[in-house]
Amino acid sequence: MRLAAILVGLVPTGMALAQVGPHAVINVSQALLRVYNARDAAAFRELLAPSLQSKYSVEDLQLTLARCQGLTHEIERFSLPSWGARRYGFFGVYAENAVLEMVLEIDESEKIVHWVITDDVTAKDQQCSLSDIR
């Protein structure tokens, strides 16, 4: 009986299973940078959570990437998050023609649920964003 109690204590709970690693949002940002600069809409779609995959087709993502690249051109690098947690971060974006900001949020599967690159985080309309928020 005591052994069973110890074994139950070792089994992670649902909450623990949903926890992402401490570097998850950084790892996703690095993958995002690779597919962004490659202009690979299909690979970009694979980084998205299922809710965004159902909302955005590969063709939609090609248009989004084109709009974003109009703002950024090539992106040299993202900074480490200046603020955030395991599932979201605020990054500096060092682009060819400007320094911008990026907000990135991921789910428990380390898939993107919200993303924006902007020169004005308070603007209502963003030319470079994906989100499930309506």
Side-chain angles (χ1 to χ4, degrees):
M1 189 66 147
R2 185 170 183 208
L3 180 59
I6 291 171
L7 290 176
V8 168
L10 294 176
V11 176
T13 64
M15 182 87 130
L17 291 174
Q19 186 69 268
V20 298
H23 305 291
V25 76
I26 295 169
N27 295 340
V28 173
S29 76
Q30 291 172 347
L32 175 63
L33 181 62
R34 284 189 295 276
V35 300
Y36 183 92
N37 281 336
R39 295 176 172 87
D40 188 342
F44 188 29
R45 192 165 188 270
E46 291 301 312
L47 296 176
L48 304 179
S51 62
L52 288 181
Q53 286 182 355
S54 65
K55 184 176 178 181
Y56 296 100
S57 67
V58 171
E59 293 78 19
D60 294 334
L61 294 174
Q62 287 172 331
L63 292 172
T64 298
L65 286 171
R67 282 193 312 270
C68 291
Q69 301 224 329
L71 175 68
T72 66
H73 301 281
E74 282 288 310
I75 294 177
E76 295 171 13
R77 67 182 176 90
F78 297 137
S79 70
L80 292 174
S82 60
W83 187 76
R86 289 180 184 225
R87 291 184 45 190
Y88 65 91
F90 293 80
F91 297 77
V93 176
Y94 296 89
E96 184 178 324
N97 62 346
V99 176
L100 305 161
E101 297 173 84
M102 178 175 76
V103 179
L104 178 63
E105 182 179 353
I106 60 174
D107 65 11
E108 62 279 348
S109 299
E110 299 183 18
K111 297 293 185 175
I112 297 170
V113 294
H114 178 76
W115 170 69
V116 63
I117 293 178
T118 183
D119 58 357
D120 181 3
V121 293
T122 61
K124 181 175 174 135
D125 293 320
Q126 300 286 347
Q127 83 181 51
C128 185
S129 69
L130 296 175
S131 185
D132 208 14
I133 301 168
R134 310 260 180 223

